[in-house]
Amino acid sequence: MSLRILHVLDHSIPLHSGYTFRTLSILREQRKLGWQTFHLTTPRHLLGRSLEEEVDGWHFFRTPVSEAGSRRWPGLDELALMRRVEQRLLEVAQKVRPQILHAHSPVLNAIPALRVGRRLGLPVAYEVRAFWEDAAVDHGTTSEGSLRYRLTRGLETWALKRADQVFTICEGLRNDIVQRGIPAEKVTVIPNAVDIESFVGGGPADARLKSQLGLSGATVIGFIGSFYAYEGLDLLIDALPEILRQRPDVRVLLVGGGPQEAALRQQIARLGVESKVVIAGRVPHSEVQRYYDLVDVLAYPRHSMRLTDLVTPLKPLEAMAQGRLLVASDVGGHRELIRHGENGILFRAGSKEALADAVGQLLTERERWPALRAAGRQFVENERNWTASVARYATAYARIAKNANA
């Protein structure tokens, strides 16, 4: 079945994020299936003012940023953004003539797609990667149960009910969507996955890099990613004194950056562990593998909240694909991926004592390492590869395209 699909995206490459990596994986696999894909980003992409752009062989239609925002009343900027996206989407759709409009989170993309779809008689799929209102809680721009939170949640539900098909990334989000009154048969999970061929087992540590970072002779607990509050890096630092009591040779390596970096540095200084933590900063994507190879155990200490209980992350899957050892909090998103004692170690979310014990036990029981590594790799090969994930679109696409032509 040949299809023409116009994807509406919040942002894309050349920006690097879990969002853009998932998008590229989806597009690659859809192209392998013989489908034609077209791609429009919103003003939130925030790079340049060109209407079209080629990036790494991919063609993107862009929606330019307006000259100024309103900021006078809450919601006016969002309304203006949706109007710009709707206008640009209409132009692009009339040019490329897709059979399906596929809007990806946030809901600010879904509403313009629904309006354009209705105008052009095109079916609309809405893919929920996370709920906008829950992300806003973590960013500190609203609180759970606030008026803004309830209004955003209502808007999300409104869009979900009107979309011809709903996709989402995990069972936690699917259950939440169905509980809102969306028919279960209309909701398909396209799980986060990895490109198996892109990940190989970890190589030997680069001794020179390890020395430059002051990690020679150390056992390294690492995190590579964005420093958001929900990632729980503060819990890792809180647990470090107890980890050091058990294993004085341990050092923590944090690679990346983000909103929590300043707070983490203050916390490290307050606990007097500056010599035990290395914040390497952001590194080029081509260099990330060298830093992974320095790490003995990867830590994913996410805090428990709606966002982390509902959404499965990509990072643990990437770690498993490389045959890495990992410890992770037992939030819902992690429990969908990690089978305790089989392909990783789970600890009680929010407990620095549980985190320290999990790290200490894993470092002590080296005889378990080969089995944990092999099980993680097998899990992603068998259950979480992009070819299998993206194949799930086919049935739903065919149904809504057929209904549109009926």
Side-chain angles (χ1 to χ4, degrees):
M1 175 183 65
S2 178
L3 285 173
R4 296 169 62 85
I5 306 141
L6 174 50
H7 292 273
V8 186
L9 304 160
D10 184 74
H11 61 283
S12 75
I13 54 172
L15 296 175
H16 282 178
S17 68
Y19 189 102
T20 62
F21 296 149
R22 176 179 168 91
T23 297
L24 276 184
S25 297
I26 289 169
L27 298 181
R28 287 191 190 104
E29 292 298 330
Q30 289 194 346
R31 291 280 181 91
K32 289 179 185 177
L33 291 169
W35 302 341
Q36 289 183 270
T37 64
F38 307 91
H39 330 104
L40 170 68
T41 58
T42 76
R44 288 160 56 93
H45 182 71
L46 296 177
L47 286 180
R49 296 183 178 276
S50 59
L51 291 177
E52 300 184 35
E53 184 180 14
E54 293 283 336
V55 184
D56 296 342
W58 294 93
H59 186 84
F60 292 94
F61 294 95
R62 305 297 192 193
T63 307
V65 181
S66 66
E67 292 298 326
S70 66
R71 296 295 179 197
R72 288 175 297 177
W73 295 98
L76 289 185
D77 282 353
E78 288 80 5
L79 287 171
L81 182 145
M82 286 191 287
R83 283 196 295 269
R84 292 199 300 277
V85 173
E86 180 181 345
Q87 181 181 16
R88 182 66 174 140
L89 178 57
L90 181 61
E91 293 172 359
V92 173
Q94 289 174 327
K95 179 177 181 178
V96 304
R97 299 189 175 279
Q99 294 166 276
I100 295 170
L101 298 180
H102 185 149
H104 300 254
S105 292
V107 70
L108 298 179
N109 297 346
I111 292 172
L114 287 165
R115 289 175 59 86
V116 171
R118 182 170 58 188
R119 181 168 173 175
L120 299 181
L122 293 172
V124 176
Y126 176 30
E127 182 160 320
V128 178
R129 302 186 181 188
F131 289 125
W132 190 33
E133 64 270 24
D134 292 327
V137 169
D138 180 71
H139 296 157
T141 56
T142 192
S143 58
E144 190 168 337
S146 69
L147 176 60
R148 178 181 175 183
Y149 184 93
R150 296 196 307 273
L151 287 173
T152 305
R153 182 175 172 84
L155 201 61
E156 193 85 57
T157 302
W158 183 92
L160 289 166
K161 288 182 176 179
R162 284 158 180 79
D164 298 285
Q165 172 67 36
V166 176
F167 297 114
T168 192
I169 68 172
C170 58
E171 292 298 331
L173 285 172
R174 182 180 187 275
N175 292 338
D176 188 278
I177 291 167
V178 170
Q179 288 170 9
R180 298 178 187 220
I182 313 303
E185 61 273 14
K186 197 173 91 170
V187 187
T188 301
V189 174
I190 310 294
N192 266 334
V194 293
D195 181 3
I196 297 297
E197 289 73 26
S198 297
F199 292 94
V200 295
D206 183 328
R208 183 177 178 184
L209 177 60
K210 197 167 186 178
S211 176
Q212 288 173 348
L213 294 172
L215 297 172
S216 296
T219 297
V220 180
I221 310 300
F223 174 88
I224 300 174
S226 298
F227 301 172
Y228 291 118
Y230 62 80
E231 294 291 4
L233 298 179
D234 58 321
L235 185 70
L236 177 59
I237 302 305
D238 271 343
L240 184 54
E242 175 57 23
I243 295 173
L244 289 168
R245 191 187 66 78
Q246 299 177 36
R247 290 290 301 259
D249 65 319
V250 163
R251 300 293 182 269
V252 169
L253 173 62
L254 304 179
V255 181
Q260 292 300 303
E261 183 171 343
L264 287 169
R265 290 186 182 277
Q266 292 171 6
Q267 181 187 8
I268 290 164
R270 187 172 65 252
L271 292 175
V273 292
E274 297 98 325
S275 64
K276 313 298 182 184
V277 182
V278 176
I279 299 181
R282 301 181 190 275
V283 301
H285 188 64
S286 59
E287 294 288 304
V288 169
Q289 188 63 50
R290 295 177 67 215
Y291 287 81
Y292 266 117
D293 288 340
L294 302 180
V295 176
D296 295 290
V297 175
L298 286 155
Y300 302 106
R302 287 188 158 196
H303 291 301
S304 179
M305 56 185 294
R306 269 182 54 86
L307 181 70
T308 58
D309 282 325
L310 294 180
V311 179
T312 55
L314 267 172
K315 291 298 181 184
L317 290 176
E318 294 175 352
M320 289 185 215
Q322 298 179 66
R324 303 283 177 180
L325 300 170
L326 60 92
V327 297
S329 59
D330 62 353
V331 295
H334 284 155
R335 292 199 305 271
E336 281 196 42
L337 307 176
I338 301 165
R339 297 159 184 167
H340 178 63
E342 181 180 333
N343 59 5
I345 303 297
L346 293 171
F347 65 88
R348 189 169 74 257
S351 170
K352 64 180 182 180
E353 295 82 10
L355 171 52
D357 288 346
V359 169
Q361 184 175 1
L362 183 57
L363 292 179
T364 300
E365 299 175 347
R366 295 182 66 95
E367 69 278 2
R368 302 176 64 188
W369 291 10
L372 286 166
R373 286 170 166 152
R377 176 71 187 190
Q378 186 175 32
F379 173 72
V380 294
E381 285 182 352
N382 294 345
E383 301 183 37
R384 291 304 178 106
N385 64 83
W386 279 118
T387 300
S389 252
V390 171
R392 298 185 181 198
Y393 284 117
T395 300
Y397 275 167
R399 179 181 59 79
I400 63 175
K402 180 181 179 181
N403 289 346
N405 294 326

